[in-house]
Amino acid sequence: MKYRADIDGLRALAVIPVILFHAGIGLFKGGFVGVDAFFVISGYLITTILIEDMENKRFSVANFYERRARRILPALFFVILVCTPFAWVVLSDASLSKFGSGLIGVSVFLSNVVFWRQQGYFDESAELNPILHTWSLSVEEQYYVLFPIFLILAWRFGKNSVFWMIVIIATISFILSEWGWRNKPVANFYLAPTRAWELFAGSIAAFIVRKKGVQKNNFLSLFGLAAIIFSIFAYDESTPFPSVYTLIPVLGVVLLVLYANEETLAARLLGHKVIVGVGLISYSAYLWHQPVFAIVRVYMRKISLGGYTTLILITATFILSYLSWRFIEKPFRNRVFLNKISVFALSFTSLLVIFTLGYVSRQAVVGVEDRLAYQLSQNDYIYFENMDERRFMEARLLYPLKPVSTIVVGSSRVMQIDSSIIGEDIQSFTVSGASIEDDIAFGLEALAKLNYENIYIAADPWLFNQHDGQNRYQAISELLDYWIKSIESNLPPKQFLDSSLRKTEITPASNAFSS
């Protein structure tokens, strides 16, 4: 495959806005579109390699996966290995559990699915997750796994048929993303089915370039460059993504791929040696920037870092990127340095290590809800962040509570009801998105424990989680089952939760809370 300096320039144009966006520089409020540019570039490069191998009858799944492993895993493993000890030191219990889940997701190429279930990309807490950015790597890895298999199966129908199959799949994926941002915005952002059309846009460009070569058109190539730059500065977190808006940066990259012949002004701009240099280390830069910013933000306890700190961290990101490119990426791409068997053996080992680090991270904070509930039973105030609210409320009912005659159960709609509003001391057992199941479990367990006289009840519109696809109540399924059976048997209320039977070991306060 002929080297194109402008493609490395495109990589730089993709990674710099992403870094500046995550650095919190408001001017680059649409910098996240750099990820979309990466998707198109990956689709173009991978498809070019694959169809060339197919045409020359030298395609090998093992060789393809070997090349991908050499390209992706060494630097990824090194960055995770370096940032994990820092995460163990600075992250709270709840964040460390989320970090562990993310590592497990990374190890099986499904971190995008993990983060879809955990948080939105534009949540403020996302800025504190050191490995949130690996979601896009998982999308690409899923493409790397499935696309070659698709080509093997479809190639028998001819290259032209394969091209139109890709066009049809891309169109379906695009339509799905238009539906997704309106109905399932978080899933739409993270999951491969609504991102596939961006990768396939690069694949379509690869087929066209393979047939016609890279054309020379100054107007279209500069228009493509302008489209990318426009979206970086015009878009922000409120822009639906991916959606029809994503067409602008995606088509911008496609135009550059198709029409930025080396003689065009756009190719000469992107091919400048400084820009190409940044493009060469762009993968390492993408890997490093998120953990660097997130860990420092957690340590300093603030999202906005200030000008000098931000500049220092950006500089540190590029220094680390150069070092990992020079001493990790380049050596592992050298077939003389490492043969195929060694690559697969080390790849499997590195993924197993990442999985183990994730599992250990999760296990280290098992029972955080119980520990926080215990601390609250001994103190007037604790600090906590995102966790399993239902497990926390279950633990509240496990430990000593001040006797009251009134309680509140229900969703976030009634969380603000407190003692000052009611005019007497109350206990609140409210959780986000409460259902009838939550109200039954907490209301009756509280009745057995507190023998209250009054209860305020609220539920979100879906009411019954079991019958509408919601599953949050399952965190307290044993408690719910106990009270359902008690109701059906018409038994008098008898407390189910018993601290003497709880397996969680209560330890002194850690950095997860203060009292």
Side-chain angles (χ1 to χ4, degrees):
M1 180 177 177
K2 183 181 178 181
Y3 173 73
R4 290 180 58 178
D6 62 300
I7 296 297
D8 273 328
L10 259 178
R11 286 193 175 111
L13 184 61
V15 78
I16 291 173
V18 171
I19 293 173
L20 298 180
F21 169 72
H22 284 141
I25 299 176
L27 182 63
F28 294 86
K29 58 186 183 296
F32 55 86
V33 303
V35 174
D36 304 274
F38 273 125
F39 285 154
V40 182
I41 295 167
S42 293
Y44 166 69
L45 294 174
I46 295 305
T47 305
T48 299
I49 292 169
L50 288 174
I51 59 178
E52 183 175 329
D53 285 352
M54 288 283 193
E55 287 178 338
N56 293 302
K57 302 187 186 310
R58 62 167 184 256
F59 175 72
S60 164
V61 172
N63 288 340
F64 175 77
Y65 289 156
E66 177 202 354
R67 289 197 298 265
R68 291 300 88 205
R70 288 178 184 272
R71 168 75 170 132
I72 293 171
L73 294 181
L76 175 63
F77 176 67
F78 179 68
V79 170
I80 286 176
L81 205 61
V82 171
C83 78
T84 296
F86 289 96
W88 285 350
V89 171
V90 304
L91 294 183
S92 67
D93 282 356
S95 294
L96 188 57
S97 179
K98 185 182 295 184
F99 177 79
S101 297
L103 288 184
I104 292 172
V106 169
S107 71
V108 292
F109 310 146
L110 290 173
S111 65
N112 61 324
V113 177
V114 172
F115 297 134
W116 159 51
R117 303 299 297 174
Q118 285 183 343
Q119 69 187 121
Y121 184 75
F122 297 112
D123 293 350
E124 190 171 74
S125 60
E127 301 291 351
L128 308 177
N129 187 334
I131 56 170
L132 180 67
H133 61 322
T134 61
W135 75 269
S136 64
L137 299 183
S138 288
V139 171
E140 290 199 21
E141 286 156 352
Q142 290 155 23
Y143 170 76
Y144 298 153
V145 169
L146 297 175
F147 188 61
I149 298 172
F150 162 77
L151 279 185
I152 291 171
L153 297 175
W155 200 256
R156 70 189 71 179
F157 300 108
K159 188 167 72 170
N160 192 53
S161 297
V162 172
F163 173 80
W164 288 109
M165 288 181 196
I166 292 174
V167 170
I168 292 170
I169 296 171
T171 303
I172 294 170
S173 173
F174 174 74
I175 293 171
L176 183 62
S177 73
E178 271 296 291
W179 177 89
W181 76 260
R182 293 175 171 87
N183 297 278
K184 301 286 183 181
V186 180
N188 182 61
F189 187 92
Y190 281 119
L191 300 186
T194 53
R195 290 287 186 175
W197 69 271
E198 300 177 49
L199 288 150
F200 284 140
S203 298
I204 292 167
F207 274 87
I208 296 172
V209 169
R210 184 74 180 162
K211 183 176 182 179
K212 299 183 177 181
V214 181
Q215 303 297 301
K216 178 184 177 181
N217 191 311
N218 268 307
F219 174 76
L220 289 178
S221 58
L222 285 173
F223 185 80
L225 186 61
I228 300 170
I229 295 172
F230 167 80
S231 59
I232 291 169
F233 295 106
Y235 292 173
D236 59 27
E237 297 171 4
S238 66
T239 307
F241 249 67
S243 68
V244 67
Y245 292 94
T246 317
L247 278 172
I248 293 179
V250 165
L251 292 179
V253 177
V254 169
L255 288 174
L256 284 165
V257 168
L258 295 178
Y259 297 108
N261 177 282
E262 58 188 10
E263 297 178 9
T264 62
L265 177 58
R268 290 200 296 272
L269 290 172
L270 292 172
H272 189 279
K273 61 181 181 180
V274 174
I275 298 176
V276 170
V278 175
L280 289 172
I281 64 171
S282 60
Y283 176 58
S284 283
Y286 185 76
L287 289 178
W288 277 113
H289 83 280
Q290 179 73 8
V292 167
F293 281 104
I295 289 171
V296 172
R297 281 184 169 115
V298 173
Y299 178 76
M300 297 181 68
R301 298 175 181 264
K302 57 183 180 179
I303 300 293
S304 299
L305 296 171
Y308 289 114
T309 303
T310 299
L311 181 60
I312 291 170
L313 294 182
I314 291 173
T315 304
T317 294
F318 281 105
I319 292 173
L320 290 169
S321 303
Y322 173 77
L323 293 175
S324 60
W325 170 76
R326 176 68 178 82
F327 298 106
I328 304 295
E329 286 192 64
K330 285 189 71 176
F332 276 91
R333 291 185 202 176
N334 188 340
R335 291 175 181 270
V336 177
F337 171 69
L338 213 61
N339 62 32
K340 182 188 296 186
I341 295 175
S342 298
V343 167
F344 284 124
L346 287 174
S347 297
F348 177 79
T349 302
S350 66
L351 293 174
L352 184 61
V353 170
I354 293 172
F355 181 92
T356 303
L357 290 174
Y359 179 78
V360 170
S361 299
R362 282 179 57 92
Q363 290 302 114
V365 294
V366 166
V368 58
E369 295 87 3
D370 293 78
R371 289 194 290 274
L372 291 172
Y374 175 76
Q375 287 291 317
L376 189 53
S377 75
Q378 308 296 314
N379 300 276
D380 293 330
Y381 167 80
I382 62 168
Y383 163 76
F384 72 94
E385 59 181 288
N386 189 29
M387 68 173 77
D388 189 328
E389 295 174 81
R390 284 155 181 79
R391 286 281 298 167
F392 178 65
M393 284 303 167
E394 186 181 67
R396 288 283 287 139
L397 287 160
L398 185 69
Y399 301 113
L401 284 172
K402 180 180 180 180
V404 294
S405 60
T406 300
I407 73 163
V408 180
V409 296
S411 69
S412 56
R413 303 170 194 276
V414 289
M415 279 182 181
Q416 294 182 350
I417 295 179
D418 59 17
S419 298
S420 62
I421 293 175
I422 301 297
E424 60 177 288
D425 287 342
I426 67 168
Q427 293 286 356
S428 177
F429 302 101
T430 55
V431 293
S432 299
S435 63
I436 292 296
E437 291 92 341
D438 298 311
D439 294 346
I440 290 172
F442 296 139
L444 293 178
E445 185 68 17
L447 181 62
K449 185 179 182 74
L450 299 173
N451 193 29
Y452 57 80
E453 297 176 2
N454 309 303
I455 178 172
Y456 290 83
I457 303 174
D460 272 14
W462 44 78
L463 295 180
F464 285 100
N465 279 186
Q466 297 180 66
H467 302 296
D468 66 1
Q470 300 286 334
N471 62 5
R472 285 178 282 190
Y473 76 95
Q474 291 178 354
I476 53 164
S477 58
E478 290 184 10
L479 181 62
L480 174 64
D481 289 343
Y482 171 81
W483 283 109
I484 292 294
K485 291 175 183 176
S486 296
I487 293 170
E488 291 172 346
S489 304
N490 198 28
L491 297 174
K494 181 180 178 182
Q495 197 173 355
F496 171 70
L497 299 170
D498 185 347
S499 60
S500 66
L501 301 177
R502 198 71 156 201
K503 294 180 180 179
T504 303
E505 180 182 351
I506 303 303
T507 56
S510 69
N511 65 335
F513 50 78
S514 56
S515 59

